Amino acid sequence: MKGALLELELDAPALAGNPLGDPARRTVLVWTPPGGAAGLPAVTFLHGFGGSVRGWTNASLFAPTVPERIDALVAAGEIPPFVAVFPDGATALGGTQWTNAPAVGRYQDWVAEDVRTAIEARLGTLARREARAVVGKSSGGYGALCLGRDRPDVFALVAAHAPDCCFEYCYLPDLPKTAAALLAASDPAAWLADAKRRARDTKLAGSDFTPLSVLAMAAHYSPDPAAPLGLALPFELPTARLRDDVWARWLEHDPVRFVPRAAAALGRLTGVFLDCGTRDEFNLRWGTRMVAEALRAAGVAVEHQEFEDGHSGTAYRYDASLRWIVPRLARS
């Protein structure tokens, strides 16, 4: 690479005392172009559920990593120089939606306050909202939309690749699968402990990902301090009958629903980039279309793209969002 990839260890005051006991000191990777970071805009990247900050540097056969893609785009003059910031959102439940969730921790504040201020203080990136963007995929895309809604004072541009949205389509199909997995355990906490034991002894099974994801989503959307793991399941056991009251709490967090309600806040954004694969396995294509429509109705400048692919192995799509976002960032 022509630029530099820095590894920083940052204190995370927002995560101190989080209910899962996750670390309040985190690794943050930062890519800087030749010449350094001072005076440049910054783009923060949010990884998906099940990922960590280390995933950004995992190499696939014949394919560049995301920092290498950024390096090549800037070196070729396809986009102007900027600073790329990669915070860690790994949790004891497998990941975060990058929101402030009572059963998980204040991950939105970790990004918008702790990481932002530390990078600006240490590296001298531009300290103004017009020079900041947030980009994410899947759960990271969901978190980026939430940051656009909740912190338009911090970020002016958002890119959400295949964000969790239209919960009936993306989550409902996973509920009966999760119910089946939990039948063999005394409660969700016991299932999670057994899954972690399997991961230590051998590895997680492919079928473990769905119940793990549903438990993490419940921790974000339907916290319940009196229940195991501090979350309320959206279905009953052993029947898997939908709990309408809990499911209604989930739907309140659906971007398809919250984007129209947050039109005033989202209208402050300079723009939003959205995309999704036409073969997305979680049916996110349709919710992404609905979110794009709602954002346009709110007066937001939207770039909405679809591409012929599924949900995984789509890091190449960051090239498209960065080409749209980076030239729109303030540079002074």
Side-chain angles (χ1 to χ4, degrees):
M1 291 196 300
K2 298 185 182 301
L5 189 62
L6 312 177
E7 182 172 320
L8 307 179
E9 294 294 324
L10 300 184
D11 289 327
L15 301 181
N18 68 81
L20 297 176
D22 287 320
R25 185 170 177 81
R26 294 291 180 109
T27 299
V28 175
L29 300 179
V30 182
W31 178 87
T32 63
L40 291 178
V43 178
T44 300
F45 290 77
L46 308 180
H47 61 72
F49 180 78
S52 74
V53 67
R54 299 298 180 189
W56 296 107
T57 56
N58 287 345
S60 298
L61 185 63
F62 305 133
T65 67
V66 172
E68 287 168 344
R69 288 185 176 279
I70 294 168
D71 192 270
L73 287 170
V74 172
E78 295 188 41
I79 55 176
F82 72 101
V83 174
V85 182
F86 304 92
D88 183 44
T91 76
L93 286 174
T96 177
Q97 295 298 86
W98 302 97
T99 60
N100 292 341
V104 182
R106 294 191 294 122
Y107 283 85
Q108 186 177 94
D109 289 349
W110 156 236
V111 172
E113 299 300 332
D114 299 347
V115 175
R116 173 183 63 83
T117 57
I119 296 302
E120 289 171 356
R122 289 196 187 192
L123 301 181
T125 54
L126 280 173
R128 49 181 300 214
R129 66 176 293 275
E130 295 84 0
R132 304 189 197 105
V134 59
V135 175
K137 186 239 175 164
S138 195
S139 287
Y142 177 87
L145 288 174
C146 290
L147 279 159
R149 173 195 65 188
D150 300 334
R151 300 308 304 266
D153 58 317
V154 174
F155 297 101
L157 285 147
V158 168
H161 297 268
D164 295 10
C165 53
C166 193
F167 286 3
E168 294 94 334
Y169 292 172
C170 70
Y171 291 149
L172 265 181
D174 287 343
L175 300 189
K177 298 175 187 177
T178 301
L182 295 181
L183 283 178
S186 58
D187 59 38
W191 181 89
L192 181 62
D194 190 53
K196 290 181 176 181
R197 178 193 59 76
R198 292 196 299 277
R200 288 192 302 270
D201 293 348
T202 54
K203 62 181 180 180
L204 285 174
S207 59
D208 287 329
F209 184 83
T210 292
L212 183 62
S213 174
V214 169
L215 293 182
M217 298 310 113
H220 286 84
Y221 306 144
S222 53
D224 180 355
L229 297 178
L231 58 90
L233 292 171
F235 54 83
E236 299 174 359
L237 287 174
T239 63
R241 179 180 292 110
L242 198 65
R243 297 175 63 188
D244 291 335
D245 57 333
V246 178
W247 180 242
R249 294 175 65 190
W250 281 47
L251 294 182
E252 285 294 305
H253 295 275
D254 186 350
V256 168
R257 290 160 171 90
F258 76 59
V259 166
R261 296 196 304 263
L266 291 164
R268 295 179 58 190
L269 297 174
T270 303
V272 175
F273 178 99
L274 295 166
D275 78 1
C276 192
T278 59
R279 303 192 302 272
D280 187 276
E281 295 85 347
F282 301 100
N283 303 310
L284 296 171
R285 177 189 193 184
W286 310 110
T288 304
R289 286 186 170 202
M290 297 176 204
V291 169
E293 182 180 70
L295 285 168
R296 290 193 182 102
V300 180
V302 176
E303 173 68 11
H304 174 223
Q305 299 182 9
E306 291 186 349
F307 56 97
E308 293 297 319
D309 208 341
H311 192 73
S312 301
T314 61
Y316 63 91
R317 292 296 302 169
Y318 292 114
D319 291 17
S321 61
L322 292 173
R323 287 189 180 104
W324 194 83
I325 280 179
V326 174
R328 289 170 168 79
L329 288 168
R331 311 196 72 81
S332 62

